């Protein structure tokens, strides 16, 4: 891998099979400073790999008023998944306690702000709606 300065993207200069790491290191040394050896996953058709995307959905819950926004894909968060690796998409809801507390202090109204995360738009919307309904009943 050639490590380029500034805004110039790094670029691969050679690819070796994993069992030829010593040769890759020799080539990097011969190429000189700014070159190093990085592991690269090799994908093949039928290997079971797939692209995992992360979607988010913002939620605002006031007493009796759960508001679930439209799901949106998080740009730059997609990853290639290969069987045997843990799935990187974290499914769940992150509550913004700071924003919720601030609004309550300023307006005196109880409110909860959160963002749900999941792999697809339908999954994240369902997660956000279920969380919002549960919270709306407890506010």
């Amino acid at each position: 891998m050639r490590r380029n300065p500034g805004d110039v993207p790094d670029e691969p200069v050679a690819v070796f099979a994993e069992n030829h790491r010593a040769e890759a290191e020799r080539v990097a040394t011969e190429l000189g400073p700014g070159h190093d050896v990085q592991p690269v996953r090799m994908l093949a058709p039928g290997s079971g790999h797939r692209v995992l995307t992360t979607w988010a959905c913002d939620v605002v819950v006031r007493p009796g008023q759960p508001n679930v926004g439209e799901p949106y894909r998080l740009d730059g968060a997609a990853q290639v998944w290969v069987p045997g690796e843990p799935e990187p998409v974290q499914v769940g809801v992150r509550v913004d306690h700071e924003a919720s507390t601030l609004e309550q202090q300023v307006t005196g109204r109880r409110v909860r702000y959160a963002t749900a995360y999941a792999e697809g738009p339908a999954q994240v919307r369902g997660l956000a709606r279920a969380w919002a309904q549960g919270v709306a009943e407890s506010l």
Side-chain angles (χ1 to χ4, degrees):
M1 178 74 72
R2 177 181 294 137
R3 300 287 175 196
N4 293 315
D7 294 339
V8 179
D10 293 343
E11 60 182 308
V13 293
V15 177
F16 292 87
E18 189 173 329
N19 59 340
H20 296 293
R21 183 172 180 90
E23 177 64 8
E25 289 172 350
R26 185 195 68 72
V27 169
T29 300
E30 190 173 325
L31 287 168
H35 295 83
D36 61 7
V37 176
Q38 298 290 320
V40 177
R41 291 184 294 172
M42 302 297 285
L43 304 177
S47 68
H49 66 275
R50 62 187 178 121
V51 174
L52 299 179
T53 58
T54 301
W55 287 72
C57 188
D58 297 322
V59 183
V60 179
V61 180
R62 292 181 174 85
Q65 295 178 314
N67 182 6
V68 176
E70 288 298 314
Y72 54 94
R73 183 177 164 167
L74 294 179
D75 292 333
Q79 299 179 38
V80 174
W81 176 79
V82 178
E85 294 180 352
E87 290 199 23
V89 176
Q90 300 297 316
V91 175
V93 177
R94 186 189 62 78
V95 179
D96 189 339
H97 295 287
E98 189 174 305
S100 302
T101 300
L102 181 61
E103 181 162 332
Q104 186 168 353
Q105 290 171 345
V106 171
T107 66
R109 294 183 299 209
R110 292 179 299 167
V111 63
R112 294 292 178 272
Y113 290 97
T115 303
Y117 299 95
E119 187 177 341
Q123 184 184 10
V124 77
R125 179 181 284 128
L127 180 64
R129 284 184 179 156
W131 183 86
Q133 288 172 348
V135 170
E137 293 169 4
S138 68
L139 279 181

